[in-house]
Amino acid sequence: MNRRRSSTPRPSRMTPASSRGKGGGKLRIIGGKFRRRLLPVPEHPGLRPTPDRVRETLFNWLALELGGRRVLDLFAGTGALGLEALSRGAQDALFVEGNAKVANTLRTNLLTLDAPGQVVTRDALALLNDSPQPFDIVFLDPPFRQGLAGNACGLLERLGWLNDEAWIYVETEAALPLESPTTWKLHREVMAGESHGRLYRRVASPP
């Protein structure tokens, strides 16, 4: 596949989709059946929903790939990516979030939307070392500067969490060089502020 690069304006990574207020902010769903719904976001250090314009770019790339798919949202945080996927036709989603307060807000938001998702309050890397179940689409957006992305990519590939032609979106700090598994082919990438988003397609066997 062709390697393409896309640029977007540089919105803040630290601010949810609408303005922040005391006790948190709001996350806006930008497309699909839940479009324009505003959901609460708790105040928590480092919580950084993927900006609207980056999400819009990503889901334009995935527009024909979401219907009926199983989604894994690792290091889910606000769940912005998994919720957007459910809004646009994904069959179900598993959200993995280590902070109990953030995970509980995500559970409440799923109930509010009546969306088919499950939230697990657990360390993402620990979960990946458990009995795997294959997913069609994985969103991987770990906290920056903690060296988590490379380990998570390796576990996803080695332990059987990916279907043969799965899509994997990885968001890291812009300065981080990411070595992806040989079975992953870079499809598109986007830069926004201090973040670097990469969308990969998994192939059944390396070249």
Side-chain angles (χ1 to χ4, degrees), residues 37-186:
R37 295 289 296 271
L38 291 174
L39 301 168
V41 173
E43 187 73 31
H44 182 68
L47 194 63
R48 43 177 189 81
T50 297
D52 283 14
R53 293 185 182 184
V54 175
R55 273 189 288 147
E56 185 173 9
T57 297
L58 171 62
F59 284 96
N60 284 340
W61 295 341
L62 291 172
L64 301 179
E65 305 295 336
L66 291 164
R69 301 301 181 121
R70 300 190 67 238
V71 171
L72 175 61
D73 192 346
L74 282 170
F75 306 96
T78 65
L81 297 176
L83 291 171
E84 196 74 46
L86 290 173
S87 182
R88 296 171 185 247
Q91 176 181 313
D92 58 44
L94 176 63
F95 299 84
V96 183
E97 169 54 44
N99 180 271
K101 179 182 177 181
V102 175
N104 285 336
T105 300
L106 181 48
R107 288 189 185 95
T108 299
N109 288 340
L110 282 168
L111 289 172
T112 298
L113 297 173
D114 191 22
Q118 177 186 1
V119 181
V120 175
T121 307
R122 194 169 178 201
D123 176 81
L125 295 185
L127 179 133
L128 290 179
N129 277 288
D130 275 356
S131 300
Q133 49 182 310
F135 286 87
D136 304 302
I137 298 173
V138 176
F139 300 119
L140 176 58
D141 185 10
F144 285 179
R145 300 176 184 88
Q146 296 186 26
L148 298 170
N151 288 337
C153 289
L155 292 171
L156 285 168
E157 177 62 32
R158 292 196 306 272
L159 299 184
W161 287 93
L162 304 171
N163 282 325
D164 283 350
E165 296 184 347
W167 292 93
I168 310 100
Y169 174 73
V170 185
E171 191 165 327
T172 68
E173 59 269 36
L176 180 71
L178 183 65
E179 186 174 342
S180 62
T182 58
T183 50
W184 297 12
K185 296 301 156 190
L186 183 64

